[in-house]
């Protein structure tokens, strides 16, 4: 349970020294309780107080990181059951399954698909994160050879999957520095897996056969000193797996049941042989509440919609996707090139810039910060009006890059043209198309 301001205050030094930037310890406590201050701002809090406050402010589902560097994947850290309550925090990772019984060419083609299937959308690169390396052979040397090959050919995050702790240890020896997820601790091997995880500082997954056993194994692993845990309830039927995900999330968040306060791993690849059905099952787990989703293979026609779904579900519903304010050069604009202005809603930016590219008329696109609102919404909210656009145009520095003084504004902001001519003396304000689809034809007729 989160602490109240008064409970937090009792743990503070009460000297009112003001070093945290607040006039009193009580004011600081109130800000901490509201999540508007960082504990680290008070240098005088005791270790005991710090530990209590950190524990109370820890997310009910522990964030767990798999991998290192740019490809590290953070899952968990969720605080709500439903996206509209606040937002979902850390998108689930997609993993492609590779077995040590596959022949070399199949492994190569899977790694190739893993690398090639990535897409740019609203300025973001969407791609899968993980390879799940499975020790189907039961032989340590074969598993070791697969791990070796994959670590040399790919920088993907790794899940090591074996029933045999010795085989896992053999694979781990090769890729320990990549901090793989060890899959899986069971009732039979829990102590060995706990040692492997602690000695290598790697996260470990638990595989149980039902939720009761999952809670029991989670507690044992925690007591053994393992902190980074991922949960697999063991269900491989659609209905049961779905119910388990809801039960785990709700126990962790609503009942504060610490044993389930970890992200989950799910296996659509073990629930059907039909690739399309597998993608549909994976889509369900993106929404409810898979932390890592293991697929039997990646194909563009199923992976792309999954990546888009994940992007949409894990955006902040209170904050539209936004592009940075500034001047964007499209093509190779020169001093005679057209200058257009639009808002920084990402979708607006990418549609407008795409249409300018299509026109093949090199242009400057001025993107005004409207807090991620589209043209009409920003205009209606007073964020894309003459006295907001004009100062931005002046300070953008575009005047130093062009000879003409013509500014093309979106057709939906036509009402601002008079105001802009007053605010920007010497500029001619041109009213561009209302619809982005007409930008290309409009620019082709451009004359400086
Ligand atoms: Fe109180 Fe710490 Fe802030 Fe000083 S820095 S006023 S002790 S909370």
């Amino acid at each position: 349970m989160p602490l109240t301001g008064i409970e937090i205050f009792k743990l503070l030094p009460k000297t009112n020294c003001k070093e945290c930037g607040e006039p009193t310890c009580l004011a600081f406590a109130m800000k901490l309780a509201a999540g508007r201050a960082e504990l680290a701002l008070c240098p005088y809090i005791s270790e005991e107080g710090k530990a209590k406050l950190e524990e109370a402010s820890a997310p009910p589902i522990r964030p767990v990181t798999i991998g290192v560097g740019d490809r590290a994947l953070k899952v968990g850290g969720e605080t709500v059951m439903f996206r509209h309550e606040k937002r979902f925090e850390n998108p689930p990772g997609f993993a492609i399954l590779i077995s040590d019984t596959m022949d070399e060419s199949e492994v190569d083609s899977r790694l190739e698909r893993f690398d090639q299937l990535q897409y740019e959308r609203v300025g973001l690169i969407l791609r899968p994160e993980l390879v799940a390396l499975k020790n189907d052979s039961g032989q340590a040397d074969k598993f070791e050879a697969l791990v070796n090959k994959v670590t040399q050919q790919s920088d993907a995050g790794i899940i090591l999957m074996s029933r045999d702790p010795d085989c896992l240890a053999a694979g781990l020896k090769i890729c320990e520095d990549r901090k793989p997820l060890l899959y899986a601790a069971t009732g039979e091997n829990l102590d060995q897996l706990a040692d492997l995880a602690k000695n290598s500082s790697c996260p470990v997954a638990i595989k149980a056969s039902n939720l009761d056993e999952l809670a029991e194994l989670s507690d044992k692993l925690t007591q053994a000193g393992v902190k980074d845990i991922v949960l697999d309830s063991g269900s491989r039927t659609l209905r049961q797996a779905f119910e388990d995900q809801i039960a785990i999330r709700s126990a962790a968040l609503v009942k504060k049941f610490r044993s389930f306060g970890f992200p989950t791993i799910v296996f659509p690849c073990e629930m059907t042989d039909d690739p399309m059905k597998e993608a549909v099952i994976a889509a369900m787990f993106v929404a409810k509440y898979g932390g890592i989703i293991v697929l039997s293979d990646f194909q563009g026609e199923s992976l792309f919609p999954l990546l888009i779904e994940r992007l949409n579900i894990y955006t902040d519903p209170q904050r539209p996707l936004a592009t940075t304010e500034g001047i964007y050069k499209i093509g190779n604009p020169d001093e005679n090139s057209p200058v257009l202005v639009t808002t920084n809603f990402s979708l607006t930016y990418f549609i407008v810039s795409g249409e300018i590219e299509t026109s093949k008329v090199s242009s400057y696109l001025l993107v005004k910060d409207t807090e991620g609102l589209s043209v009409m919404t920003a205009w209606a909210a007073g964020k894309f009006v003459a006295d907001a656009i004009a100062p931005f145009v002046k300070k953008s520095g575009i005047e130093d890059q062009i000879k003409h003084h013509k500014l093309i504004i979106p057709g939906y902001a036509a009402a601002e043209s008079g105001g802009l001519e007053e605010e920007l003396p010497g500029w001619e304000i041109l009213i561009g198309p209302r619809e982005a689809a007409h930008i290309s034809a409009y620019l082709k007729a451009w004359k400086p």
Side-chain angles (χ1 to χ4, degrees):
M1 290 286 285
L3 298 181
T4 64
I6 297 298
E7 285 167 331
I8 294 173
F9 175 64
K10 287 180 186 163
L11 298 166
L12 294 177
K14 303 182 200 69
T15 57
N16 299 334
C17 74
K18 302 185 177 57
E19 282 190 40
C20 57
E22 298 302 324
T24 61
C25 293
L26 182 61
F28 183 65
M30 292 303 171
K31 275 205 162 180
L32 266 184
R36 289 188 285 116
E38 297 283 328
L39 185 58
L41 289 173
C42 173
Y44 303 113
I45 186 162
S46 68
E47 285 306 314
E48 189 198 351
K50 201 186 282 180
K52 280 189 185 160
L53 284 172
E54 276 171 355
E55 194 189 335
S57 60
I61 296 178
R62 184 179 168 82
V64 173
T65 301
I66 297 146
V68 289
D70 290 348
R71 299 302 292 260
L73 171 75
K74 186 172 166 192
V75 290
E78 302 301 335
T79 57
V80 292
M81 289 295 291
F82 304 105
R83 177 179 178 267
H84 63 260
E85 291 176 80
K86 188 178 167 205
R87 63 172 179 269
F88 289 162
E89 298 289 338
N90 294 304
F94 291 114
I96 185 171
L97 196 66
I98 301 180
S99 166
D100 64 358
T101 54
M102 287 173 183
D103 60 38
E104 197 134 324
S105 62
E106 180 59 26
V107 175
D108 286 337
S109 68
R110 279 169 189 250
L111 288 176
E112 209 174 293
R113 283 196 286 285
F114 177 87
D115 278 337
Q116 285 178 354
L117 291 175
Q118 51 177 282
Y119 311 87
E120 191 181 340
R121 181 134 173 141
V122 291
L124 302 169
I125 300 294
L126 310 183
R127 62 184 180 191
E129 295 77 15
L130 300 163
V131 290
L133 306 181
K134 195 169 181 194
N135 175 224
D136 281 322
S137 70
Q139 297 168 25
D141 55 343
K142 276 200 163 189
F143 193 49
E144 216 176 304
L146 175 67
V147 178
N148 204 13
K149 181 178 172 63
V150 170
T151 45
Q152 282 180 14
Q153 286 181 223
S154 171
D155 63 352
I158 294 173
I159 305 172
L160 295 176
M161 300 176 65
S162 179
R163 280 187 289 270
D164 181 345
D166 293 334
C167 291
L168 273 182
L172 181 60
K173 217 168 49 193
I174 312 280
C175 64
E176 188 175 327
D177 57 338
R178 302 267 284 264
K179 298 296 167 215
L181 172 66
L182 305 174
Y183 180 94
T186 62
E188 282 78 53
N189 65 16
L190 191 121
D191 292 339
Q192 288 154 289
L193 265 282
D195 286 344
L196 268 186
K198 279 190 294 180
N199 295 337
S200 60
S201 305
C202 288
V204 62
I206 297 169
K207 183 181 181 189
S209 50
N210 55 54
L211 292 181
D212 289 339
E213 191 193 9
L214 191 65
E216 189 189 320
L217 295 179
S218 166
D219 290 345
K220 281 188 182 161
L221 216 45
T222 307
Q223 281 155 17
V226 178
K227 289 191 172 143
D228 291 330
I229 296 171
V230 173
L231 305 174
D232 174 8
S233 68
S235 301
R236 296 295 185 264
T237 62
L238 180 56
R239 179 177 176 149
Q240 193 56 52
F242 175 69
E243 286 178 0
D244 287 355
Q245 291 303 306
I246 308 281
I248 291 169
R249 171 70 62 98
S250 124
L253 295 191
V254 183
K255 300 195 177 124
K256 312 289 177 207
F257 184 53
R258 286 281 182 196
S259 315
F260 285 171
F262 300 99
T264 61
I265 183 169
V266 289
F267 291 86
C269 59
E270 294 180 13
M271 296 182 190
T272 177
D273 292 329
D274 175 347
M276 268 309 161
K277 195 168 169 194
E278 185 181 326
V280 172
I281 296 170
M284 178 190 78
F285 287 128
V286 170
K288 304 257 174 207
Y289 293 113
I292 296 165
I293 300 171
V294 184
L295 298 168
S296 58
D297 200 353
F298 287 160
Q299 298 298 337
E301 65 270 23
S302 51
L303 184 65
F304 178 66
L306 286 171
L307 291 168
I308 295 293
E309 181 201 3
R310 181 176 73 172
L311 173 71
N312 287 334
I313 300 242
Y314 280 79
T315 50
D316 185 343
Q318 297 167 56
R319 199 174 299 171
L321 279 176
T323 304
T324 311
E325 179 174 275
I327 303 175
Y328 289 78
K329 292 181 179 178
I330 297 167
N332 295 304
D334 60 24
E335 55 195 16
N336 294 314
S337 297
V339 179
L340 302 93
V341 64
T342 192
T343 70
N344 78 330
F345 177 39
S346 281
L347 209 53
T348 301
Y349 166 74
F350 284 101
I351 291 172
V352 171
S353 59
E355 291 298 333
I356 298 173
E357 268 178 45
T358 309
S359 75
K360 304 218 180 328
V361 178
S362 293
S363 305
Y364 295 100
L365 178 59
L366 305 188
V367 174
K368 159 96 183 75
D369 181 2
T370 54
E371 296 171 22
L373 299 179
S374 63
V375 170
M376 280 195 78
T377 319
W379 177 75
K383 295 179 193 299
F384 197 64
V385 291
D387 51 8
I389 300 170
F392 160 63
V393 172
K394 283 180 195 161
K395 81 164 194 264
S396 71
I398 188 66
E399 277 183 294
D400 303 334
Q401 302 187 41
I402 49 170
K403 269 207 305 212
H404 64 84
H405 278 76
K406 292 182 180 174
L407 178 67
I408 303 167
I409 63 171
Y412 281 118
E416 298 306 312
S417 63
L420 276 169
E421 278 179 347
E422 271 176 35
E423 300 275 346
L424 293 171
W427 282 77
E428 186 183 345
I429 306 302
L430 305 175
I431 298 169
R434 285 184 158 218
E435 303 301 333
H438 301 146
I439 287 176
S440 180
Y442 179 90
L443 287 180
K444 281 179 183 157
W446 160 260
K447 286 193 188 65

